[in-house]
Amino acid sequence: MTSKCVISLDLPEDIVAPLSDQFDLLTWSGREAMPEVTLQEWLADAEGLLCALSTPITASVIAGAEQLKVISTISVGVDHIDLAAATAAGIPVGHTPDVLVDSTADLAVGLMIAATRRIAEADRWIRTGQWSQGWQSDLLLGTDLSQATVGIVGLGPIGEATVKRLRGFGATILGWNRTPKSLEGVEMVDLEDLFRRCDIVSLHTALTPDTLQIASRKRLASMRAGATLINTGRGALVDEAALIEELSTGRLRAGLDVFETEPLPADHPLLSLDNAVLLPHVGSATFSTRMAMVTRALDNLRAGMSGQPLPFCANPEVCGFNG
Ligand code: GLV
């Protein structure tokens, strides 16, 4: 009998087709996230799950999936999966590190420039018919990256790649990492110092119980007037309510690719704030990066389905002992 595999997101036909030769596929084709009850039903007798950030894989989903041999997510982050529950159940979780580093670092720097040079705001300004005079000496003035002190919170591969880019801009760089690290051209400081001293703070740490709201109300309040917060990590790294207050008074700016609630509700207060550049979680959204992520996720899925160690495993405790 062919093993059953659930795909919880809509993927292009040519990507799914080779899998259908090997497995009995059940694919969610809705554009909205797959409801948990449907996921639970489909997983009742499935051996594999291919998923992404839009599907929370909770402890109860895992508990009901008694045949499950592997969870493979098309993402580097695994905070949408109850990793402890998967590990306790002996289920390896595959993810897609490394391949999205450059795309995400590019986007972080893009957001820094967009926010500090007011690119999205200026675009809206033109489109709403406000450009009635030619060049004006004081129009939409911003600040320079070359004169900025930029703080990088989390010096993993994406944080490091962001540092590499910022060196080229001539920025002064401060860094903080959970474990001690030294990096050329980066002054390592504690978090309080970093938030206090920087013109731009960029978040690159994984979301864990320790990093939840690492950009806390107190740290946001300690940022310099006119400073910018960049988040390409996870929404829950920031106290979003506190950030909205700081943006509403005009004291801070922001460039955000991730939010506490995604998609952002239509009446969300951030949508009316001109000093925030908002993107719909597209840090890794380039053709080649998405292709590389899918390839990595399929390699993980196939390995797990055949009881082999996953090439890229988020819970190594169980990755070698599957099947
Ligand atoms: C994107 O946010 C990812 O974790 O891949």
Side-chain angles (χ1 to χ4, degrees):
M1 207 176 76
T2 325
S3 308
K4 185 167 149 188
C5 179
V6 171
I7 304 181
S8 72
L9 70 161
D10 196 19
L11 287 173
E13 189 47 41
D14 55 331
I15 287 177
V16 177
L19 282 180
S20 59
D21 297 341
Q22 287 173 279
F23 310 120
D24 183 7
L25 298 183
L26 262 179
T27 304
W28 176 253
S29 55
R31 289 306 280 179
E32 74 286 8
M34 187 176 182
E36 180 160 316
V37 295
T38 315
L39 183 63
Q40 276 171 325
E41 273 169 34
W42 288 16
L43 282 178
D45 57 350
E47 292 182 19
L49 170 62
L50 182 64
C51 62
L53 301 171
S54 49
T55 322
I57 312 298
T58 60
S60 69
V61 166
I62 291 167
E66 290 181 359
Q67 315 290 320
L68 202 59
K69 286 176 155 179
V70 58
I71 299 170
S72 174
T73 178
I74 308 171
S75 63
V76 62
V78 290
D79 48 282
H80 56 301
I81 300 172
D82 192 323
L83 203 60
T87 307
I91 302 169
V93 174
H95 67 147
T96 65
D98 312 329
V99 288
L100 44 68
V101 166
D102 285 327
S103 306
T104 310
D106 284 352
L107 197 86
V109 176
L111 274 175
M112 288 177 201
I113 298 175
T116 58
R117 295 299 303 274
R118 307 169 64 179
I119 290 176
E121 185 186 345
D123 181 88
R124 278 192 297 275
W125 189 82
I126 291 192
R127 288 173 200 275
T128 49
Q130 298 183 68
W131 199 14
S132 53
Q133 292 174 32
W135 187 88
Q136 294 163 57
S137 62
D138 57 353
L139 179 61
L140 290 159
L141 300 183
T143 55
D144 290 292
L145 263 191
S146 60
Q147 289 167 29
T149 299
V150 184
I152 305 293
V153 177
L155 286 165
I158 299 174
E160 269 200 46
T162 306
V163 165
K164 192 166 127 195
R165 285 155 175 73
L166 288 171
R167 282 198 207 110
F169 283 90
T172 302
I173 309 170
L174 306 189
W176 173 88
N177 198 50
R178 271 177 296 177
T179 52
K181 184 151 188 172
S182 74
L183 209 60
E184 196 199 322
V186 179
E187 182 191 348
M188 297 302 288
V189 293
D190 67 28
L191 275 172
E192 316 319 315
D193 234 21
L194 187 143
F195 276 83
R196 207 162 9 90
R197 285 172 55 192
C198 287
D199 302 297
I200 300 173
V201 174
S202 190
L203 307 177
H204 298 280
T205 186
L207 175 63
T208 67
D210 290 340
T211 60
L212 184 72
Q213 297 201 348
I214 197 164
S216 61
R217 174 174 291 275
K218 190 161 158 235
R219 289 187 179 130
L220 292 171
S222 76
M223 286 174 78
R224 293 176 171 175
T228 300
L229 183 82
I230 302 295
N231 191 5
T232 52
R234 286 292 182 269
L237 293 172
V238 180
D239 182 335
E240 206 171 79
L243 178 64
I244 290 166
E245 286 173 34
E246 294 285 3
L247 292 170
S248 304
T249 65
R251 214 184 67 80
L252 297 184
R253 307 188 143 268
L256 307 171
D257 185 40
V258 286
F259 305 90
E260 266 174 9
T261 304
E262 295 178 9
L264 211 51
D267 59 348
H268 198 282
L270 279 171
L271 293 169
S272 59
L273 293 168
D274 235 6
N275 50 354
V277 180
L278 311 177
L279 298 178
H281 205 145
V282 288
S284 64
T286 69
F287 288 105
S288 72
T289 294
R290 285 287 161 84
M291 204 54 226
M293 290 168 75
V294 168
T295 303
R296 207 149 263 203
L298 295 185
D299 289 348
N300 283 331
L301 182 76
R302 287 198 184 92
M305 293 292 273
S306 56
Q308 300 299 313
L310 311 196
F312 300 96
C313 189
N315 53 351
E317 309 91 299
V318 293
C319 269
F321 304 102
N322 185 38

